[in-house]
């Protein structure tokens, strides 16, 4: 190995060693994002303000989901229709063929109308759910923007005060030494800067005249 190559190799080794030294001494802080979204005042306020929207979506999904109340309603209509026709069949000899046919058509028409009404209701609920899900996405964006405006300055302040280089989400860290988790400190600072959130996309609540129906979504709970 020539002298020049020896010098280059030594310099490379020194640079690598220096880099490792810096990496080892660099402090990496950790924030538990799940805990922030559970405990921070801004997220609690968001949850409180959006309770009604959330509950309406849950109710609508229970009604129109597979195996839900709507599907059970269709099954009930079909069961009652079959029972009515079966009962009519038993009485055919007594009432005569002509009267039997008239009553049979009437029974079929009655249950078909009931099924069509339920189908229209389900379509209405599907539209309402789609609308609420769209509103929900807008509400999430609103709170995300407001948190982001104060989050970055808080991050920078924490990094500076701890003389750290990096803040990582806890979910990305496999293991860490004690004292690196600054979640509590972050939540306290976030609560100071953003104790509440302003949500402009919330559905307008109905007046007292419409009391008894959920705001914007007049869902009738299935029995």
């Amino acid at each position: 190995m020539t002298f020049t190559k020896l010098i280059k190799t030594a310099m490379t080794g020194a640079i690598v060693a220096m880099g490792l030294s810096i990496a080892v001494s660099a402090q990496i802080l950790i924030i538990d994002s799940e805990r922030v979204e559970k405990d921070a005042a801004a997220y609690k306020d968001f949850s409180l303000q959006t309770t009604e929207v959330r509950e309406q979506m849950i109710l609508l999904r229970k009604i129109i989901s597979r195996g839900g109340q709507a599907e059970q309603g269709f099954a009930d209509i079909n069961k009652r229709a079959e029972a009515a026709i079966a009962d009519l069949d038993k009485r055919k000899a007594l009432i005569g063929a002509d009267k039997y046919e008239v009553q049979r058509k009437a029974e079929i028409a009655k249950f078909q109308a009931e099924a069509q009404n339920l189908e229209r209701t389900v379509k209405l609920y599907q539209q309402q759910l789609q609308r609420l899900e769209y509103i929900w996405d807008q509400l999430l964006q609103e709170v995300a923007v407001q948190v982001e405006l104060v989050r970055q300055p808080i991050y920078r302040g924490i990094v500076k005060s701890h003389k750290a280089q990096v803040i990582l989400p806890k979910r990305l860290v496999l293991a860490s030494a004690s004292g690196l988790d600054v979640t509590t400190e972050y939540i306290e600072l976030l609560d100071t800067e953003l104790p509440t959130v302003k949500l402009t996309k919330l559905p307008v609540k109905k007046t007292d005249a419409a009391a008894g129906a959920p705001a914007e979504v007049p869902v009738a709970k299935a029995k």
Side-chain angles (χ1 to χ4, degrees), residues 14 72 124:
Q72 294 172 19
L124 174 63

Side-chain angles (χ1 to χ4, degrees), residues 31-49:
I31 289 181
D32 187 343
S33 300
E34 292 183 1
R35 185 182 154 205
V36 171
E37 293 181 7
K38 181 172 67 75
D39 294 341
Y43 291 104
K44 287 182 177 179
D45 185 52
F46 172 82
S47 180
L48 182 63
Q49 291 189 57

Side-chain angles (χ1 to χ4, degrees), residues 50-88:
T50 58
T51 297
E52 193 168 299
V53 174
R54 249 185 354 268
E55 289 178 347
Q56 289 171 357
M57 289 194 296
I58 291 171
L59 177 57
L60 287 167
R61 286 169 182 152
K62 284 182 179 179
I63 294 173
I64 66 178
S65 63
R66 187 175 182 85
Q69 294 171 355
E71 188 173 298
Q72 294 172 19
F74 284 116
D76 178 66
I77 292 171
N78 186 62
K79 182 178 179 180
R80 287 187 288 111
E82 290 178 349
I85 297 300
D87 180 66
L88 190 60

Side-chain angles (χ1 to χ4, degrees), residues 2-222:
T2 63
F3 180 74
T4 302
K5 288 183 178 180
L6 183 63
I7 293 296
K8 287 183 178 180
T9 301
M11 290 179 64
T12 300
I15 292 172
V16 170
M18 183 172 63
L20 290 173
S21 176
I22 292 174
V24 171
S25 63
Q27 188 172 12
I28 300 175
L29 303 177
I30 299 168
I31 289 181
D32 187 343
S33 300
E34 292 183 1
R35 185 182 154 205
V36 171
E37 293 181 7
K38 181 172 67 75
D39 294 341
Y43 291 104
K44 287 182 177 179
D45 185 52
F46 172 82
S47 180
L48 182 63
Q49 291 189 57
T50 58
T51 297
E52 193 168 299
V53 174
R54 249 185 354 268
E55 289 178 347
Q56 289 171 357
M57 289 194 296
I58 291 171
L59 177 57
L60 287 167
R61 286 169 182 152
K62 284 182 179 179
I63 294 173
I64 66 178
S65 63
R66 187 175 182 85
Q69 294 171 355
E71 188 173 298
Q72 294 172 19
F74 284 116
D76 178 66
I77 292 171
N78 186 62
K79 182 178 179 180
R80 287 187 288 111
E82 290 178 349
I85 297 300
D87 180 66
L88 190 60
D89 287 342
K90 292 178 182 178
R91 297 185 291 111
K92 182 176 181 181
L94 295 175
I95 64 177
D98 292 342
K99 190 173 182 179
Y100 165 82
E101 195 60 34
V102 171
Q103 290 186 12
R104 181 176 180 277
K105 288 180 179 179
E107 289 289 348
I108 291 174
K110 180 182 71 175
F111 288 109
Q112 283 181 339
E114 189 175 344
Q116 288 169 357
N117 286 335
L118 179 55
E119 185 175 357
R120 283 192 290 268
T121 300
V122 170
K123 287 182 179 178
L124 174 63
Y125 289 171
Q126 288 172 335
Q127 293 170 358
Q128 292 172 340
L129 179 59
Q130 290 174 354
R131 177 176 174 275
L132 282 177
E133 288 175 337
Y134 175 73
I135 291 173
W136 181 256
D137 288 340
Q138 290 183 311
L139 293 171
L140 289 176
Q141 291 175 13
E142 280 194 308
V143 70
V145 168
Q146 292 174 61
V147 170
E148 187 63 27
L149 286 174
V150 299
R151 179 167 58 187
Q152 292 303 324
I154 293 174
Y155 283 165
R156 289 193 292 269
I158 291 175
V159 166
K160 184 177 180 180
S161 65
H162 287 266
K163 297 180 180 179
Q165 282 73 37
V166 179
I167 296 179
L168 291 177
K170 186 176 181 179
R171 66 178 182 276
L172 299 180
V173 179
L174 298 178
S176 64
S178 60
L180 298 182
D181 191 317
V182 292
T183 305
T184 299
E185 179 181 352
Y186 172 71
I187 290 175
E188 290 174 352
L189 293 169
L190 181 60
D191 287 352
T192 300
E193 294 296 324
L194 190 68
T196 60
V197 291
K198 183 178 180 181
L199 302 177
T200 65
K201 305 298 183 182
L202 281 171
V204 178
K205 292 186 178 181
K206 290 185 178 294
T207 61
D208 292 339
E216 297 295 317
V217 184
V219 177
K221 293 185 179 181

